[in-house]
């Protein structure tokens, strides 16, 4: 049976992940003033993890990954694959916003970046 994690536990994990990213990049000599604005927020990291979980639970992880690869290519039907990726991601994000109202702001921010 899968373990059910609370939103506060997920946020704690996301804070730890973000701290590790910041430390790694700073140790590599990057200027935090330059890279901090481009990093995702805590809730966006949580949402991204929930998206991955939803894709796996729906049996869409492989289709999504393959469509994402094809969408990034220069093949003839790349645009169709981009539409598939956007459609799947939009559906999953909407479901996450419905299931986790505290993450709605992060979800809608991410939806705003989908190339629809």
């Amino acid at each position: 049976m899968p373990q059910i994690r609370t939103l506060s536990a997920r946020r704690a994990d996301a804070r730890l992940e973000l701290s590790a990213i910041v430390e790694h990049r700073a140790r590599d000599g990057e200027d935090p003033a330059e890279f901090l604005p481009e990093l995702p927020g805590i809730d966006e990291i949580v949402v991204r993890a929930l998206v991955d979980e939803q894709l796996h639970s729906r049996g869409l992880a492989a289709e999504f990954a393959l469509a994402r690869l094809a969408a990034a290519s220069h093949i003839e039907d790349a645009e169709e694959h981009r539409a598939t990726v956007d459609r799947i991601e939009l559906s999953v994000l909407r479901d996450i916003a419905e299931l986790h109202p505290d993450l709605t702001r992060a979800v809608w921010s991410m939806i705003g970046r989908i190339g629809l």
Side-chain angles (χ1 to χ4, degrees), residues 55-76:
L55 290 171
H56 283 284
S57 71
R58 296 178 185 191
L60 294 173
E63 177 186 353
F64 186 78
L66 290 172
R68 180 175 262 170
L69 284 172
S73 72
H74 298 292
I75 62 175
E76 188 174 305

Side-chain angles (χ1 to χ4, degrees), residues 55-105:
L55 290 171
H56 283 284
S57 71
R58 296 178 185 191
L60 294 173
E63 177 186 353
F64 186 78
L66 290 172
R68 180 175 262 170
L69 284 172
S73 72
H74 298 292
I75 62 175
E76 188 174 305
D77 57 352
E79 188 60 40
E80 184 179 326
H81 291 291
R82 276 189 282 282
T84 298
V85 167
D86 291 347
R87 178 184 49 76
I88 292 171
E89 190 167 21
L90 183 61
S91 171
V92 171
L93 285 169
R94 283 183 174 157
D95 289 347
I96 289 170
E98 190 174 310
L99 291 169
H100 303 281
D102 290 346
L103 297 174
T104 300
R105 176 174 275 192

Side-chain angles (χ1 to χ4, degrees), residues 4-91:
I4 297 175
R5 307 210 45 238
T6 65
L7 186 54
S8 60
R10 289 177 183 278
R11 283 177 169 153
D13 289 346
R15 276 188 210 83
L16 183 61
E17 182 179 338
L18 190 56
S19 292
I21 292 168
V22 169
E23 181 177 353
H24 176 76
R25 290 181 70 170
R27 285 180 185 249
D28 275 353
E30 291 185 60
D31 182 357
E34 291 181 17
F35 71 78
L36 283 175
E38 71 187 36
L39 293 179
I42 299 298
D43 282 352
E44 284 191 30
I45 294 171
V46 171
V47 171
R48 199 43 54 210
L50 290 169
V51 166
D52 291 343
E53 289 175 16
Q54 284 290 315
L55 290 171
H56 283 284
S57 71
R58 296 178 185 191
L60 294 173
E63 177 186 353
F64 186 78
L66 290 172
R68 180 175 262 170
L69 284 172
S73 72
H74 298 292
I75 62 175
E76 188 174 305
D77 57 352
E79 188 60 40
E80 184 179 326
H81 291 291
R82 276 189 282 282
T84 298
V85 167
D86 291 347
R87 178 184 49 76
I88 292 171
E89 190 167 21
L90 183 61
S91 171

